[in-house]
Amino acid sequence: MLTVLYALLYYVAAIIFVVGVAKRVWEYWKTPQPAVIPTTPAPVTRTGVVWRMFKEVAFFESLWKSNKWIWIFAMMFHLSLWLIIIRHLRYFLDPVPTLIVLAQPFGKYAGFFFVLGALGLLARRMFVPRIRYISNPSDYLMLLLFLGIGLSGLGMTFVSKTDIVGVKAFFLGLMTFNWQPLPTDLPVLVHLGLVALFLIIFPFSKLVHAPGVFFSPTRNMVDNPREKFRPVPWLPPVDEVQYDPPHGS
Amino acid sequence: MSELDKNPEAATDDVPPEAQEDPLYFAWEPKEGASAHIQSFKAAPEFQEPLGYPGELVDNWKEVALAKMEELRGKFRSFRLFLDICVKCGACTDKCHYYMGTSDPKNMPVGRQDLLRSVYRRYFTLPGKWFPQLVGARELTEDVLEEWYTYYFQCSECRRCSVYCPYGIDTAEITMAAREILDSVGIGMKYTNEIIGKVFKVGNNLGLPKPALQSTLEDLEDEIEEDTGVRVRLPLDEPADILLVTPSADFFAEPHIDGLIGYAKVFHATGAKWTLSSYASEAANFAMFIGSYENMRRIALRIRKAAIDLGVKRIIIGECGHAWRAAYQFLNTLAGPFDFLDPNYPVPQHICEYTWEAIQKGLLKFDKSQNDHLKVTFHDSCNVARASRMGDYPGGQFEIPRNIIKAVCNHFYEMPEDTIKEATLCCGGGGGLLTDDLMELRKKGGSPRMKALKQATEEYGVNKMAAICAICKTQFSKIMPMFGYGMDDIMSLHQLVSNAIILPGSEQEKELMEAEAENAGENAGEGEA
Ligand code: SF4
Ligand code: SF4
């Protein structure tokens, strides 16, 4: 029964996540950016822009300039998230690639930093008046969701060991449409339930910052408005316009 | 690190007594509603209609506003994306000079965006439609429009916030969109919209007609001749190689006019054939402030037409921050292509690019000691710093003006590192806020810059600040006296050039030659002995 429920939940969540994110990306892709508005000083070449964007997504360059505390917690949070995701690939791949095997120990302990990062961000949200002012209930809930995912995950790894082989069989079964029973201890159910929730809300929430940042015109544009002519797509071409008449003098 | 970024959380709720007197004290705690009473005058119908906007609030304002929002999110990726991806990290919250000056949380960049984002969420996103409370979504009401009008006219569109946001969210883009929405339902700002109307009617912000312009320029020629003994021309509507488009304040106000004299001397010394245009007698483009591409284009096209009519080869823009942004980022896009101009020069060019090139080529001669009584610092104007470039490499907009200053002055000092270049603080009067009805805001918003200047004064004895923006100059000459400086402690960059330049055949050249000859004589005498 639970297996069926979770199996369906994951199909739905996966579809919503993929279709939702694809739709978002499509919207950003097709919406024009009528003027060249990088925040300057900005690179004057494509390669330069790739480098700027790399520094932004890998090292949070702007955040570093802005606020070291947020930077530390955000870095901790996102880096561990990557390690955790890489480590989790082992539940979807058989045989497990060596690289992921190597990442295993790091991925395991990254869970602690993930929780620590989320706690730091939560503390800032609660105790810095400026940030408290701009926070909506959804902003707190989002962090609580991550804490829930992190803590239940740590619980499975370090407190009461779960039947990982069973979990892996369940997910491999999902992918090959050959369902296998899901181990039903509470931490697994909580963990997987929250992750599914995360996938579902992703495309509708601020979480789209992840794909969105790549479309940010102040970061991804080459600074060349003088060198390259780019007309505004929704204005008539210049030879069709009327000039203001000269003023009498 | 300067005082500005030191321990922003340390301040407490009760403002200490010294803070109440010291306009340079920043309380970092948000004080809700602290600047809710500051509102600029709204435009009367006569100022709305020439721009294509309804004269007063339309009956179906809600539909119109939402339709406009829908339209804008289809036309501008910036607008759509920025409304979606803010994670409320708070990195921008202490970066706006209006927040520093007023402590009103709606002046925190993200707080300002949220005024509109909350409505956007309510009508354009699923969570906002289903769980408005959860995501802070709200209905669009007349009170909301009123709140928008208040706070979107407390943003100078300076882009400082976009430097610090991890996603580059530029509140200026949201502000421009909000102003466009407000205009489209019939709520406009008097100052900006009246001025745009003047450009359409007369050709410049100040409403100076051609004869007035002509006689001003002739007066300036006389003045220069008196000072130097050289007749330096300031041609108007003459066929030429270079069209100079400059903010109209340069024709009229101090210290701007000394900058114009500086450009004229540089052109004279380089032997350039240049002209001003009475049709395009304004570099400023206030339509940028209100986010109206249609009106911005109408103004930009005047420059195109003047360039065609006068048969010039190059377009050069005078000292002005937002005008340089409007020219650099928008002129080509809105009024190009400019394939009829000389392809060897970028379109447009900044006057500083021109002057620096002339200096590098050795075309200009200076007597730097003429500026020896000045200890100068340089104020990077927001739009020059964060929305444009000079030269062909990133950051040229910082180096070229400094290079010029160092070429004409012996005493140049920087203000604190985190208040210059890309981190520069707005003068407090940009973005269409340079109006007397916003004086309180202008003073408060200018106070962070004044604090940085004070540090430079205490440390190095700086007594003059140079700028390359008409709005900065006007704003500073107004607020500097409130902070213990003189109104003439703000200078045009080209005023420094003008002070030091030695025109061929001028009195100054003669004096210099005599002094040199004397020196040489003395030296020779010493040699003999
Ligand atoms: S820095 Fe950017 S993402 Fe963070 S709160 Fe401000 S606007 Fe939002
Ligand atoms: S653009 Fe400038 S004035 Fe506007 S919110 Fe950002 S920092 Fe403040």
Side-chain angles (χ1 to χ4, degrees):
Chain A
M1 184 56 211
L2 269 174
T3 301
V4 177
L5 197 74
Y6 269 73
L8 291 179
L9 178 63
Y10 264 85
Y11 283 132
V12 172
I15 290 172
I16 292 183
F17 177 79
V18 172
V19 175
V21 171
K23 183 165 174 280
R24 274 305 161 82
V25 167
W26 172 246
E27 285 169 3
Y28 299 146
W29 191 276
K30 69 162 211 273
T31 309
Q33 177 53 49
V36 181
I37 58 158
T39 307
T40 60
V44 291
T45 60
R46 260 283 125 212
T47 335
V49 165
V50 171
W51 175 236
R52 179 185 205 179
M53 191 57 93
F54 172 74
K55 285 188 292 181
E56 201 61 87
V57 297
F59 302 114
F60 303 170
E61 188 188 22
S62 301
L63 197 54
W64 170 259
K65 287 181 197 166
S66 173
N67 187 309
K68 303 291 187 277
W69 280 111
I70 308 182
W71 185 86
I72 287 169
F73 292 132
M75 222 33 195
M76 226 194 254
F77 180 83
H78 286 88
L79 267 187
S80 359
L81 184 61
W82 276 116
L83 282 172
I84 291 169
I85 290 174
I86 291 171
R87 182 181 95 90
H88 277 69
L89 287 180
R90 68 193 291 111
Y91 301 120
F92 304 91
L93 300 173
D94 198 54
V96 181
T98 332
L99 216 67
I100 294 174
V101 177
L102 289 177
Q104 172 71 7
F106 302 102
K108 234 167 122 180
Y109 293 96
F112 288 104
F113 286 98
F114 180 73
V115 168
L116 214 65
L119 279 175
L121 293 175
L122 188 64
R124 279 193 64 85
R125 209 172 271 299
M126 284 163 52
F127 300 120
V128 177
R130 280 179 282 120
I131 307 188
R132 190 165 63 224
Y133 177 86
I134 57 168
S135 301
N136 294 127
S138 57
D139 298 310
Y140 293 102
L141 289 176
M142 203 79 83
L143 281 170
L144 291 179
L145 174 68
F146 285 120
L147 279 175
I149 292 175
L151 289 172
S152 58
L154 285 175
M156 279 186 289
T157 321
F158 295 102
V159 186
S160 65
K161 299 261 180 202
T162 305
D163 172 13
I164 325 232
V165 182
V167 174
K168 179 160 184 171
F170 171 76
F171 276 106
L172 287 177
L174 278 187
M175 295 194 319
T176 53
F177 299 99
N178 168 25
W179 296 2
Q180 303 296 319
L182 175 69
T184 53
D185 22 342
L186 194 64
V188 182
L189 295 182
V190 171
H191 190 69
L192 293 184
L194 292 178
V195 171
L197 183 61
F198 163 78
L199 293 175
I200 292 170
I201 61 174
F202 192 101
F204 304 102
S205 65
K206 65 178 184 180
L207 296 173
V208 287
H209 71 274
V213 61
F214 294 98
F215 293 90
S216 179
T218 59
R219 293 291 181 271
N220 79 358
M221 298 191 94
V222 181
D223 183 23
N224 60 3
R226 291 195 289 187
E227 293 77 7
K228 205 169 155 224
F229 173 58
R230 284 178 35 142
V232 178
W234 34 264
L235 285 178
V238 79
D239 41 16
E240 285 171 28
V241 298
Q242 281 231 302
Y243 295 101
D244 285 338
H247 354 88
S249 61
Chain B
M1 247 199 204
S2 80
E3 296 285 293
L4 291 184
D5 280 4
K6 243 184 246 164
N7 201 5
E9 269 87 66
T12 53
D13 247 348
D14 25 335
V15 181
E18 68 267 20
Q20 286 162 16
E21 275 138 48
D22 181 5
L24 293 176
Y25 175 89
F26 302 147
W28 293 96
E29 296 277 310
K31 277 194 293 229
E32 247 183 278
S35 68
H37 63 285
I38 307 177
Q39 208 189 55
S40 52
F41 296 152
K42 290 180 185 152
E46 68 198 277
F47 300 132
Q48 286 285 88
E49 277 143 17
L51 280 64
Y53 299 126
E56 46 198 30
L57 190 64
V58 294
D59 292 334
N60 57 342
W61 52 269
K62 192 165 170 177
E63 285 151 45
V64 176
L66 292 175
K68 193 75 194 176
M69 214 185 267
E70 172 78 49
E71 179 194 327
L72 294 179
R73 82 176 185 140
K75 281 181 168 175
F76 294 90
R77 173 157 27 94
S78 52
F79 183 61
R80 175 189 287 260
L81 185 83
F82 292 163
L83 288 176
D84 278 348
I85 65 173
C86 168
V87 299
K88 310 289 180 84
C89 68
C92 61
T93 51
D94 55 352
K95 300 294 183 268
C96 177
H97 52 287
Y98 291 117
Y99 176 68
M100 296 177 198
T102 65
S103 304
D104 191 315
K106 287 172 187 157
N107 277 332
M108 302 189 301
V110 49
R112 196 184 313 285
Q113 297 157 25
D114 275 352
L115 300 175
L116 199 144
R117 185 178 287 117
S118 54
V119 173
Y120 171 81
R121 283 192 171 162
R122 169 67 187 75
Y123 296 96
F124 296 93
T125 71
L126 272 189
K129 282 179 193 160
W130 291 352
F131 320 104
Q133 241 98 57
L134 195 66
V135 295
R138 61 176 180 168
E139 299 278 330
L140 181 58
T141 64
E142 266 187 72
D143 287 344
V144 169
L145 288 184
E146 198 59 26
E147 193 182 33
W148 284 1
Y149 184 77
T150 302
Y151 288 100
Y152 284 116
F153 283 100
Q154 293 191 18
C155 169
S156 58
E157 302 175 348
C158 75
R159 307 186 103 202
R160 191 167 196 262
C161 42
S162 86
V163 171
Y164 296 102
C165 172
Y167 316 111
I169 295 178
D170 179 8
T171 315
E173 292 288 308
I174 310 287
T175 294
M176 289 174 188
R179 292 179 181 182
E180 169 79 346
I181 295 170
L182 286 168
D183 270 326
S184 73
V185 299
I187 306 177
M189 193 218 205
K190 175 172 182 276
Y191 174 69
T192 51
N193 294 7
E194 182 182 5
I195 277 180
I196 296 168
K198 271 191 210 158
V199 176
F200 292 157
K201 239 168 75 198
V202 193
N204 53 59
N205 284 8
L206 293 175
L208 294 173
K210 183 171 177 178
L213 217 51
Q214 190 88 58
S215 69
T216 307
L217 296 176
E218 275 159 22
D219 288 350
L220 285 180
E221 290 175 355
D222 294 343
E223 197 178 302
I224 300 173
E225 191 169 7
E226 224 164 87
D227 281 353
T228 63
V230 181
R231 188 79 188 166
V232 172
R233 296 282 335 274
L234 283 100
L236 182 68
D237 293 335
E238 291 178 16
D241 295 335
I242 296 174
L243 169 64
L244 177 77
V245 187
T246 203
S248 56
D250 282 359
F251 302 124
F252 183 71
E254 288 291 343
H256 314 61
I257 208 158
D258 304 298
L260 177 61
I261 293 174
Y263 324 147
K265 287 183 180 171
V266 170
F267 283 133
H268 180 92
T270 56
K273 271 184 71 193
W274 69 288
T275 186
L276 291 153
S277 155
S278 63
Y279 178 73
S281 48
E282 182 59 70
N285 194 331
F286 276 28
M288 188 175 84
F289 294 151
I290 58 167
S292 165
Y293 273 46
E294 284 76 15
N295 284 305
M296 206 192 322
R297 182 180 221 197
R298 223 176 125 185
I299 296 174
L301 283 169
R302 306 173 76 86
I303 299 178
R304 181 187 176 88
K305 183 166 155 51
I308 296 173
D309 291 351
L310 295 166
V312 297
K313 301 199 184 98
R314 308 162 68 173
I315 297 172
I316 293 181
I317 307 291
E319 294 182 2
C320 185
H322 90 280
W324 179 234
R325 179 183 186 183
Y328 178 86
Q329 288 190 335
F330 291 98
L331 185 63
N332 196 12
T333 296
L334 290 173
F338 284 92
D339 35 22
F340 55 91
L341 298 177
D342 184 342
N344 292 316
Y345 303 99
V347 181
Q349 266 187 310
H350 195 280
I351 185 70
C352 286
E353 291 179 306
Y354 183 84
T355 301
W356 178 234
E357 206 192 306
I359 293 175
Q360 280 174 306
K361 283 190 187 151
L363 297 177
L364 307 181
K365 206 173 148 200
F366 297 112
D367 174 10
K368 285 168 96 169
S369 69
Q370 294 299 323
N371 284 319
D372 270 354
H373 56 300
L374 308 177
K375 292 195 168 174
V376 181
T377 191
F378 180 64
H379 165 75
D380 292 282
S381 299
C382 332
N383 280 300
V384 176
R386 291 184 284 256
S388 80
R389 176 163 45 97
M390 289 179 202
D392 52 8
Y393 59 98
Q397 70 269 37
F398 308 135
E399 279 183 25
I400 290 176
R402 285 172 171 77
N403 290 345
I404 298 176
I405 296 179
K406 288 179 199 157
V408 300
C409 292
N410 283 316
H411 310 297
F412 171 73
Y413 305 93
E414 292 282 11
M415 286 182 278
E417 198 54 40
D418 55 349
T419 70
I420 56 169
K421 301 186 177 174
E422 72 169 357
T424 190
L425 290 159
C426 174
C427 63
L433 308 184
L434 192 73
T435 166
D436 283 349
D437 28 316
L438 289 175
M439 210 55 230
E440 182 184 348
L441 182 80
R442 285 168 55 189
K443 180 181 175 192
K444 289 179 170 167
S447 64
R449 169 47 82 219
M450 288 295 104
K451 183 166 182 163
L453 178 62
K454 276 238 160 101
Q455 273 173 267
T457 301
E458 277 155 25
E459 210 163 314
Y460 310 111
V462 163
N463 55 16
K464 295 281 168 191
M465 183 160 64
I468 48 172
C469 172
I471 289 177
C472 296
K473 292 172 202 168
T474 305
Q475 158 77 351
F476 283 132
S477 54
K478 198 91 175 200
I479 68 162
M480 280 172 85
M482 303 175 190
F483 293 88
Y485 291 90
M487 62 177 294
D488 53 356
D489 288 340
I490 174 73
M491 297 178 77
S492 296
L493 185 146
H494 274 81
Q495 185 177 351
L496 295 167
V497 175
S498 172
N499 287 351
I501 199 167
I502 304 294
L503 295 175
S506 65
E507 302 290 335
Q508 285 79 3
E509 190 181 46
K510 259 183 251 155
E511 278 168 30
L512 198 67
M513 269 163 35
E514 275 161 23
E516 268 166 19
E518 228 166 75
N519 268 341
E522 268 170 31
N523 286 343
E526 273 162 28
E528 266 164 30

